Amino acid sequence: MRHLIRTHAGLLFAGVATFVVMGAGQSLYGPALPAFSRQFGVTVAEAGVLISAHWVGCFVGVAIMFLRGAGITPRHSLAFMALGAAGIAALAGWWLTVFAAAVFGVGYGMATAVFNPRVLTAFGERGPSMLSLLNATFGVGAIAAPLIFVALGSDPRWSFGMTALVIAAIWLAAGAAGRAAPVPAGAVRPFRPHLPILAFGAVAIGLEACLVGLGPTALIAAGVAEATAAQLLSAFFVVFLLARTVLIFTAHRVPAFVLFTGSMAVAAICAFGAALVSPSVFFVAMGAAAGLFFPGYYVTASQKMGEDIRVPPTIIAAGLVGGIFSPLAVAPLMAGMGNVGFFWLIGGVTAVMTLLALAMGAQMRR
């Protein structure tokens, strides 16, 4: 394992640094929605379009990877993210800000499709564990960003501006890893789309997008102060990070779809706890379940669908469908859901997902 880490140190550094800033950028949307609402004179529901714009951009980035993946490097993805974050920080107008969120999303989607398959392949049998490490670092940025946002006076200019500068620094430091060609495919299993696991992924990533992007707004609706909601989002990502850290040591020992099923069950329990007992406590606890959604889905889908270069973009694209449409569907409904209606909705969806996953578990593990 030490030899593998030394061999792929450049890839690991570039991936970890990129995922930290990806976590920071995504987690800023939630606490910043009220600020965008005030800045541009739109409702919080309308400000939620920024989240969907981000995911639309991700989908475009993944589509680029599907069509032109062999020519895309980490530095391409970093350039898009830097431009997008800088555009958001400029606050030049509502639709320009929405466009900038989409540009940031393009880089985000490209980075996801660039790094995940490279790390999974480079580390062989330990690939699932190292994939968990890579995705765990996403939580580091996601924890810090809301706290920094509050410390900077809840001003999107400063927070997204700093994000753009950090991305530019990673672009400069990426070196050879930033220019490296994709890991040679060699003899690979053919491309076999598997609709059931792609559907599971679409719902799972949609849930994650709603929890991260709309969770703070749901907490505010339940009576939590804006600053406290941002701090609770950071705590959510602390638990998210802890769950993914545990996966570093266990992912290669536990079947991926078992992890996915368990994460849905835990999410359902926490969502109902948030609705019935304490929104603050159980929203934070839900971070553990959310932290397992993507690794369980991605590894299962990779095992089912083969090793063709088109497989990673397809896996990620399916998740992005959920990420794009879930906030669009849920945000307008939130005003009529009541104080904790958001958590009842999340609980219902995750409970149904748990039952379906249990019913299809044997098929998914074959």
Side-chain angles (χ1 to χ4, degrees):
M1 188 63 182
R2 293 193 193 95
H3 172 70
L4 285 171
I5 291 174
R6 284 195 299 270
T7 301
H8 302 290
L11 172 65
L12 205 53
F13 163 78
V16 164
T18 301
F19 270 64
V20 168
V21 81
M22 286 165 66
Q26 183 182 339
S27 70
L28 283 173
Y29 288 115
L33 285 187
F36 286 123
S37 175
R38 291 189 293 267
Q39 173 72 28
F40 296 112
V42 297
T43 67
V44 172
E46 290 169 337
V49 170
L50 285 169
I51 301 170
S52 291
H54 170 86
W55 290 106
V56 168
C58 287
F59 192 88
V60 172
V62 170
I64 292 170
M65 289 298 299
F66 186 91
L67 297 171
R68 306 285 295 177
I72 301 298
T73 70
R75 276 188 164 171
H76 289 117
S77 64
L78 288 164
F80 275 101
M81 283 196 288
L83 289 171
I88 296 171
L91 296 180
W94 172 239
W95 290 111
L96 286 175
T97 303
V98 171
F99 177 74
V103 172
F104 182 86
V106 170
Y108 186 108
M110 290 167 65
T112 304
V114 164
F115 284 108
N116 278 302
R118 293 187 188 193
V119 169
L120 188 63
T121 301
F123 288 90
E125 291 182 359
R126 292 291 183 133
S129 293
M130 296 308 291
L131 185 77
S132 298
L133 169 64
L134 179 67
N135 285 274
T137 60
F138 173 96
V140 175
I143 292 164
L147 299 177
I148 294 171
F149 178 78
V150 173
L152 294 174
S154 300
D155 188 343
R157 290 183 182 88
W158 286 102
S159 52
F160 281 98
M162 287 180 60
T163 301
L165 289 174
V166 171
I167 296 169
I170 297 170
W171 188 93
L172 290 171
R179 299 185 297 272
V183 176
V188 298
R189 289 179 291 137
F191 181 40
R192 300 187 310 272
H194 192 276
L195 294 181
I197 190 59
L198 293 176
F200 275 117
V203 177
I205 304 308
L207 287 166
E208 183 179 337
C210 286
L211 288 170
V212 174
L214 301 176
T217 303
L219 289 170
I220 292 167
V224 176
E226 280 189 23
T228 304
Q231 292 164 352
L232 288 171
L233 182 61
S234 284
F236 171 98
F237 276 113
V238 169
V239 179
F240 181 102
L241 174 60
L242 289 173
R244 286 194 171 174
T245 301
V246 170
L247 276 188
I248 296 169
F249 307 101
T250 60
H252 59 288
R253 295 189 174 96
V254 182
F257 197 71
V258 171
L259 289 173
F260 182 85
T261 305
S263 69
M264 284 295 160
V266 171
I269 293 168
C270 290
F272 290 132
L276 293 169
V277 183
S278 170
S280 299
V281 170
F282 283 95
F283 173 74
V284 171
M286 221 179 312
L292 304 182
F293 287 168
F294 181 78
Y297 160 58
Y298 187 90
V299 175
T300 302
S302 296
Q303 292 167 347
K304 300 294 290 184
M305 293 176 56
E307 298 156 336
D308 186 278
I309 193 171
R310 295 168 294 176
V311 169
T314 303
I315 294 171
I316 295 165
L320 293 179
V321 170
I324 292 166
F325 290 107
S326 295
L328 276 178
V330 174
L333 297 175
M334 290 182 68
M337 282 182 176
N339 292 347
V340 292
F342 173 83
F343 297 108
W344 281 114
L345 176 63
I346 297 296
V349 172
T350 50
V352 170
M353 287 285 286
T354 301
L355 294 174
L356 289 173
L358 287 170
M360 299 186 67
Q363 176 189 338
M364 291 295 178
R365 290 193 295 273
R366 284 202 295 267

